[in-house]
Amino acid sequence: AKQAGEWIREHIGQISSFDVVYFSPFIRTRETAAYICGTEEVLLTPDDRIIERDWGQFGKFTTEDQEKHFPHTYREKRANPLYVRLDGGESMIDVYGRIRDMQGTLHREYSESRVMMVTHGDLMNVWRYAVERMLPEDWEVLDRDKSYDFKNCSILQYTRVNPHDAHDIRQHLKWRRFVHTVDPHTPPDNG
Protein backbone atom coordinates (compact mmCIF):
# COMPACT_ATOMS: atom_id res chain seq x y z
CA ALA A 1 0.00 0.00 0.00
CA LYS A 2 2.88 2.36 0.73
CA GLN A 3 4.36 1.52 -2.69
CA ALA A 4 1.00 2.22 -4.31
CA GLY A 5 0.85 5.61 -2.61
CA GLU A 6 4.37 6.41 -3.80
CA TRP A 7 3.50 5.31 -7.34
CA ILE A 8 0.38 7.51 -7.36
CA ARG A 9 2.34 10.54 -6.13
CA GLU A 10 5.04 10.01 -8.77
CA HIS A 11 2.76 9.27 -11.74
CA ILE A 12 -0.59 10.93 -11.00
CA GLY A 13 -0.20 13.47 -8.20
CA GLN A 14 -0.50 13.99 -4.47
CA ILE A 15 -3.31 12.05 -2.82
CA SER A 16 -4.57 15.35 -1.41
CA SER A 17 -5.05 16.58 -5.01
CA PHE A 18 -8.04 14.26 -5.38
CA ASP A 19 -11.40 15.89 -4.73
CA VAL A 20 -12.69 12.76 -2.99
CA VAL A 21 -11.11 9.50 -1.87
CA TYR A 22 -13.65 6.72 -1.42
CA PHE A 23 -12.81 3.51 0.34
CA SER A 24 -14.53 0.22 1.02
CA PRO A 25 -15.28 0.11 4.76
CA PHE A 26 -13.72 -3.36 5.14
CA ILE A 27 -10.85 -3.23 7.64
CA ARG A 28 -8.15 -4.17 5.13
CA THR A 29 -9.20 -1.45 2.70
CA ARG A 30 -9.32 1.10 5.52
CA GLU A 31 -5.76 0.14 6.37
CA THR A 32 -4.73 0.22 2.70
CA ALA A 33 -6.25 3.70 2.28
CA ALA A 34 -4.40 4.95 5.35
CA TYR A 35 -1.08 3.60 4.06
CA ILE A 36 -1.69 5.05 0.58
CA CYS A 37 -2.43 8.49 2.06
CA GLY A 38 0.62 8.38 4.31
CA THR A 39 1.08 11.68 6.12
CA GLU A 40 -1.09 13.69 3.72
CA GLU A 41 -4.27 15.14 5.16
CA VAL A 42 -7.05 13.55 3.16
CA LEU A 43 -10.75 13.23 3.87
CA LEU A 44 -11.57 9.57 3.34
CA THR A 45 -15.17 8.73 2.45
CA PRO A 46 -16.48 5.21 3.14
CA ASP A 47 -18.97 3.71 0.69
CA ASP A 48 -20.64 0.30 0.95
CA ARG A 49 -21.22 0.18 -2.82
CA ILE A 50 -17.53 -0.53 -3.41
CA ILE A 51 -17.11 -3.46 -1.01
CA GLU A 52 -15.77 -6.81 -2.19
CA ARG A 53 -18.06 -9.22 -3.98
CA ASP A 54 -20.00 -11.39 -1.53
CA TRP A 55 -18.77 -14.91 -2.18
CA GLY A 56 -21.40 -16.42 0.16
CA GLN A 57 -21.03 -20.04 1.27
CA PHE A 58 -19.30 -20.89 -2.00
CA GLY A 59 -16.34 -18.69 -1.11
CA LYS A 60 -15.78 -20.32 2.27
CA PHE A 61 -14.48 -23.49 0.59
CA THR A 62 -11.28 -24.33 -1.26
CA THR A 63 -11.55 -24.71 -5.04
CA GLU A 64 -11.61 -28.51 -4.70
CA ASP A 65 -14.35 -28.38 -2.07
CA GLN A 66 -16.33 -25.85 -4.11
CA GLU A 67 -16.48 -28.39 -6.92
CA LYS A 68 -17.45 -31.14 -4.47
CA HIS A 69 -20.10 -29.26 -2.44
CA PHE A 70 -21.47 -26.92 -5.12
CA PRO A 71 -21.02 -28.81 -8.41
CA HIS A 72 -23.70 -26.86 -10.30
CA THR A 73 -22.39 -23.46 -9.20
CA TYR A 74 -18.82 -24.54 -9.86
CA ARG A 75 -19.68 -25.55 -13.45
CA GLU A 76 -21.76 -22.42 -14.01
CA LYS A 77 -18.98 -20.19 -12.68
CA ARG A 78 -16.66 -21.63 -15.30
CA ALA A 79 -19.27 -21.37 -18.08
CA ASN A 80 -20.88 -18.02 -17.15
CA PRO A 81 -18.54 -16.14 -14.79
CA LEU A 82 -20.31 -12.81 -15.23
CA TYR A 83 -23.81 -14.09 -14.48
CA VAL A 84 -23.54 -16.98 -12.03
CA ARG A 85 -24.74 -16.09 -8.54
CA LEU A 86 -22.61 -17.81 -5.92
CA ASP A 87 -24.49 -19.81 -3.28
CA GLY A 88 -25.49 -17.27 -0.64
CA GLY A 89 -23.52 -14.56 -2.44
CA GLU A 90 -23.43 -12.28 -5.46
CA SER A 91 -22.95 -12.62 -9.17
CA MET A 92 -20.60 -10.23 -10.95
CA ILE A 93 -23.73 -8.65 -12.48
CA ASP A 94 -24.96 -7.96 -8.93
CA VAL A 95 -21.65 -6.13 -8.35
CA TYR A 96 -22.21 -4.32 -11.66
CA GLY A 97 -25.49 -2.98 -10.25
CA ARG A 98 -23.62 -1.41 -7.32
CA ILE A 99 -21.06 0.04 -9.72
CA ARG A 100 -23.73 1.60 -11.94
CA ASP A 101 -25.23 3.24 -8.87
CA MET A 102 -21.80 4.54 -7.87
CA GLN A 103 -21.22 5.84 -11.39
CA GLY A 104 -24.46 7.83 -11.09
CA THR A 105 -23.18 9.47 -7.92
CA LEU A 106 -19.85 10.27 -9.54
CA HIS A 107 -21.58 11.74 -12.58
CA ARG A 108 -23.91 13.91 -10.47
CA GLU A 109 -21.47 15.03 -7.78
CA TYR A 110 -17.95 14.72 -9.25
CA SER A 111 -18.18 14.93 -13.05
CA GLU A 112 -15.34 17.47 -13.25
CA SER A 113 -13.35 16.10 -10.32
CA ARG A 114 -10.47 13.81 -9.55
CA VAL A 115 -11.76 10.74 -7.73
CA MET A 116 -9.86 7.89 -6.11
CA MET A 117 -11.30 4.65 -4.81
CA VAL A 118 -9.60 2.11 -2.59
CA THR A 119 -11.50 -1.08 -3.23
CA HIS A 120 -11.26 -4.76 -4.18
CA GLY A 121 -10.19 -6.81 -7.18
CA ASP A 122 -13.58 -8.20 -8.20
CA LEU A 123 -15.10 -4.75 -8.05
CA MET A 124 -12.27 -3.34 -10.19
CA ASN A 125 -12.71 -6.23 -12.62
CA VAL A 126 -16.38 -5.41 -13.13
CA TRP A 127 -15.64 -1.67 -13.09
CA ARG A 128 -13.75 -2.26 -16.34
CA TYR A 129 -16.84 -3.97 -17.78
CA ALA A 130 -18.98 -0.95 -16.90
CA VAL A 131 -16.63 1.92 -17.77
CA GLU A 132 -15.26 0.38 -20.96
CA ARG A 133 -18.76 -0.69 -22.04
CA MET A 134 -17.71 -4.21 -22.85
CA LEU A 135 -19.80 -7.02 -24.21
CA PRO A 136 -20.03 -10.01 -21.83
CA GLU A 137 -17.86 -12.16 -24.10
CA ASP A 138 -15.14 -9.47 -24.20
CA TRP A 139 -15.12 -9.29 -20.41
CA GLU A 140 -14.93 -13.10 -20.17
CA VAL A 141 -11.79 -13.12 -22.35
CA LEU A 142 -10.14 -10.63 -19.97
CA ASP A 143 -11.39 -12.53 -16.92
CA ARG A 144 -9.69 -15.73 -18.17
CA ASP A 145 -6.42 -13.91 -18.94
CA LYS A 146 -4.36 -14.12 -15.73
CA SER A 147 -2.28 -11.07 -16.72
CA TYR A 148 -5.43 -9.01 -16.04
CA ASP A 149 -5.87 -10.35 -12.50
CA PHE A 150 -5.91 -7.57 -9.94
CA LYS A 151 -3.03 -8.20 -7.58
CA ASN A 152 -3.05 -6.44 -4.22
CA CYS A 153 -2.49 -2.70 -4.62
CA SER A 154 -2.99 -2.71 -8.38
CA ILE A 155 -3.93 0.65 -9.82
CA LEU A 156 -6.57 1.14 -12.47
CA GLN A 157 -6.60 4.73 -13.73
CA TYR A 158 -9.06 6.28 -16.16
CA THR A 159 -8.54 9.75 -17.51
CA ARG A 160 -9.88 12.23 -20.04
CA VAL A 161 -6.40 13.76 -20.44
CA ASN A 162 -4.22 12.38 -23.22
CA PRO A 163 -1.07 10.99 -21.53
CA HIS A 164 0.98 12.13 -24.56
CA ASP A 165 -0.56 15.62 -24.89
CA ALA A 166 -1.83 17.38 -21.74
CA HIS A 167 -3.74 19.89 -23.90
CA ASP A 168 -5.85 17.09 -25.41
CA ILE A 169 -8.71 16.73 -22.92
CA ARG A 170 -11.75 14.72 -23.96
CA GLN A 171 -15.33 15.04 -22.77
CA HIS A 172 -15.46 11.41 -21.60
CA LEU A 173 -12.95 8.97 -20.16
CA LYS A 174 -10.68 7.92 -22.99
CA TRP A 175 -7.48 6.40 -21.58
CA ARG A 176 -6.84 3.58 -19.13
CA ARG A 177 -3.70 2.59 -17.26
CA PHE A 178 -3.40 -0.65 -15.29
CA VAL A 179 -0.36 -1.11 -13.05
CA HIS A 180 0.68 -3.73 -10.52
CA THR A 181 2.60 -1.59 -8.03
CA VAL A 182 4.01 -4.63 -6.20
CA ASP A 183 5.27 -6.06 -9.52
CA PRO A 184 5.56 -3.07 -11.87
CA HIS A 185 7.31 -5.08 -14.60
CA THR A 186 4.27 -7.27 -15.34
CA PRO A 187 1.32 -4.96 -16.11
CA PRO A 188 -1.01 -5.94 -18.92
CA ASP A 189 -0.97 -3.66 -21.96
CA ASN A 190 2.49 -2.42 -20.89
CA GLY A 191 1.00 -0.34 -18.10
Side-chain angles (χ1 to χ4, degrees):
K2 289 177 183 177
Q3 284 177 295
E6 291 169 10
W7 190 94
I8 292 166
R9 285 178 191 85
E10 181 179 340
H11 297 280
I12 300 173
Q14 294 295 311
I15 309 302
S16 59
S17 72
F18 287 87
D19 297 289
V20 63
V21 177
Y22 283 105
F23 68 95
S24 159
F26 286 11
I27 298 281
R28 63 189 166 108
T29 42
R30 289 184 204 184
E31 292 170 344
T32 300
Y35 278 118
I36 286 172
C37 293
T39 60
E40 291 185 62
E41 288 190 30
V42 178
L43 176 62
L44 297 171
T45 305
D47 199 297
D48 289 318
R49 293 173 292 182
I50 62 171
I51 62 172
E52 178 64 283
R53 174 188 192 181
D54 183 347
W55 282 72
Q57 291 300 313
F58 185 84
K60 295 183 187 322
F61 290 87
T62 65
T63 302
E64 296 79 24
D65 285 341
Q66 287 171 349
E67 185 175 13
K68 177 182 171 185
H69 295 287
F70 304 100
H72 175 73
T73 304
Y74 183 84
R75 284 190 306 276
E76 278 299 306
K77 185 175 182 296
R78 296 178 66 88
N80 298 301
L82 191 60
Y83 295 102
V84 66
R85 181 168 286 126
L86 304 179
D87 297 83
E90 292 179 299
S91 67
M92 291 297 245
I93 287 298
D94 293 330
V95 175
Y96 173 76
R98 292 193 271 119
I99 288 169
R100 294 294 293 163
D101 188 67
M102 186 72 183
Q103 285 179 309
T105 298
L106 296 177
H107 179 72
R108 281 187 314 276
E109 299 178 17
Y110 298 103
S111 64
E112 298 293 322
S113 302
R114 291 170 48 103
V115 176
M116 178 188 292
M117 288 185 214
V118 181
T119 186
H120 307 271
D122 277 349
L123 189 116
M124 292 171 69
N125 192 354
V126 181
W127 193 271
R128 289 198 60 194
Y129 176 75
V131 171
E132 297 176 34
R133 299 179 185 269
M134 294 181 186
L135 291 169
E137 58 269 22
D138 297 329
W139 178 86
E140 288 177 12
V141 168
L142 287 177
D143 189 54
R144 284 191 296 273
D145 184 339
K146 295 302 175 196
S147 69
Y148 286 100
D149 283 356
F150 285 92
K151 299 175 182 181
N152 283 341
C153 295
S154 291
I155 294 173
L156 180 61
Q157 177 192 16
Y158 290 98
T159 184
R160 298 180 305 128
V161 180
N162 185 335
H164 305 291
D165 178 3
H167 300 290
D168 180 8
I169 302 172
R170 306 295 172 92
Q171 184 176 1
H172 301 286
L173 297 174
K174 173 74 176 166
W175 292 274
R176 170 185 42 83
R177 178 165 36 180
F178 184 179
V179 178
H180 301 306
T181 60
V182 294
D183 193 6
H185 306 294
T186 63
D189 306 324
N190 298 314

